[in-house]
Amino acid sequence: MNDLRKSGWFFSIPESNLPFYGYIGMFDFKNTDWYAVWKTVPTMIGLAFFGILHVPINVPSLSVSVGLDNLDMNRELFAHGISNLISGVFGSFQNYLVYSNSILFYRSGGDSRLAGMMLAIATFFIMAFGASYLGYIPTVVVGMLIFHLGIELLKESLYDTWGVVSPIEYFTILVVVFCMALIGFNEGIFIGLFGYLVFIGWKFY
């Protein structure tokens, strides 16, 4: 098994005796490199902008895809706001709904609150007690999952929208896809926003 891990077929087992909450004790503003923080401001702005937009875009799209008609956008916005506030207080990651992952989970049978609770419990268990179990997961499985999600997103953005949206909208989608792939995530967001403003101006003025 160790030879397979060294060859890259399995994930390496993390070697650490710290508990999963040990990172909280590492916060020390005296040792903070504020120049490095300043360099990440554009990325933080992009993530914040994405976090604001993803709820009114992804949640209704997910609702339509799974056939739910009881969507309460105010409740979704409130829940995402509270979860991100709590996550930020504890120095954790941004919380947002990943449309492709949610669709995959739903199509795999996760269509109930019980399934969501089981996933949350399993995720917490792995985070808190079972990081070493990741060393027994083949890397090819994770690679195939990412590959599948990438193809699914590409299909939904380029193939499923062909003939549905207007030519200028489709051109904007193409530009955003290529910009995110070749330049960067933030650049793709801002170019998409600019394209949207151009489209609105062209359509109504």
Side-chain angles (χ1 to χ4, degrees), residues 93-157:
F93 298 105
Q94 180 188 19
N95 170 46
Y96 66 95
L97 183 147
V98 181
Y99 173 80
S100 56
N101 290 1
S102 300
I103 287 292
L104 180 63
F105 180 67
Y106 183 85
R107 292 175 180 173
S108 300
D111 55 353
S112 65
R113 293 182 183 273
L114 177 61
M117 293 177 62
M118 292 176 63
L119 176 63
I121 293 172
T123 302
F124 177 79
F125 179 81
I126 292 175
M127 178 186 69
F129 309 107
S132 60
Y133 292 114
L134 297 177
Y136 298 95
I137 299 177
T139 55
V140 66
V141 173
V142 180
M144 290 176 62
L145 176 61
I146 296 174
F147 193 69
H148 169 76
L149 294 178
I151 293 177
E152 185 76 15
L153 285 174
L154 197 63
K155 173 182 175 294
E156 290 184 359
S157 60

Side-chain angles (χ1 to χ4, degrees), residues 37-57:
V37 174
W38 172 253
K39 293 286 288 185
T40 61
V41 166
T43 301
M44 289 189 285
I45 293 176
L47 288 174
F49 186 75
F50 180 76
I52 294 172
L53 285 181
H54 94 275
V55 176
I57 294 176

Side-chain angles (χ1 to χ4, degrees), residues 1-117:
M1 184 63 76
N2 290 330
D3 292 336
L4 291 175
R5 290 195 182 97
K6 292 179 181 179
S7 301
W9 289 100
F10 287 84
F11 288 103
S12 299
I13 298 178
E15 298 179 0
S16 176
N17 295 323
L18 292 175
F20 71 95
Y21 52 83
Y23 72 94
I24 297 178
M26 299 179 183
F27 285 103
D28 187 355
F29 290 107
K30 295 180 181 179
N31 294 325
T32 301
D33 187 346
W34 293 106
Y35 178 74
V37 174
W38 172 253
K39 293 286 288 185
T40 61
V41 166
T43 301
M44 289 189 285
I45 293 176
L47 288 174
F49 186 75
F50 180 76
I52 294 172
L53 285 181
H54 94 275
V55 176
I57 294 176
N58 288 342
V59 173
S61 300
L62 180 63
S63 177
V64 171
S65 298
V66 301
L68 296 177
D69 56 359
N70 58 344
L71 175 66
D72 186 347
M73 184 57 67
N74 289 330
R75 183 183 63 185
E76 297 295 332
L77 288 168
F78 183 79
H80 276 77
I82 292 297
S83 63
N84 275 306
L85 178 63
I86 296 174
S87 180
V89 167
F90 288 97
S92 187
F93 298 105
Q94 180 188 19
N95 170 46
Y96 66 95
L97 183 147
V98 181
Y99 173 80
S100 56
N101 290 1
S102 300
I103 287 292
L104 180 63
F105 180 67
Y106 183 85
R107 292 175 180 173
S108 300
D111 55 353
S112 65
R113 293 182 183 273
L114 177 61
M117 293 177 62

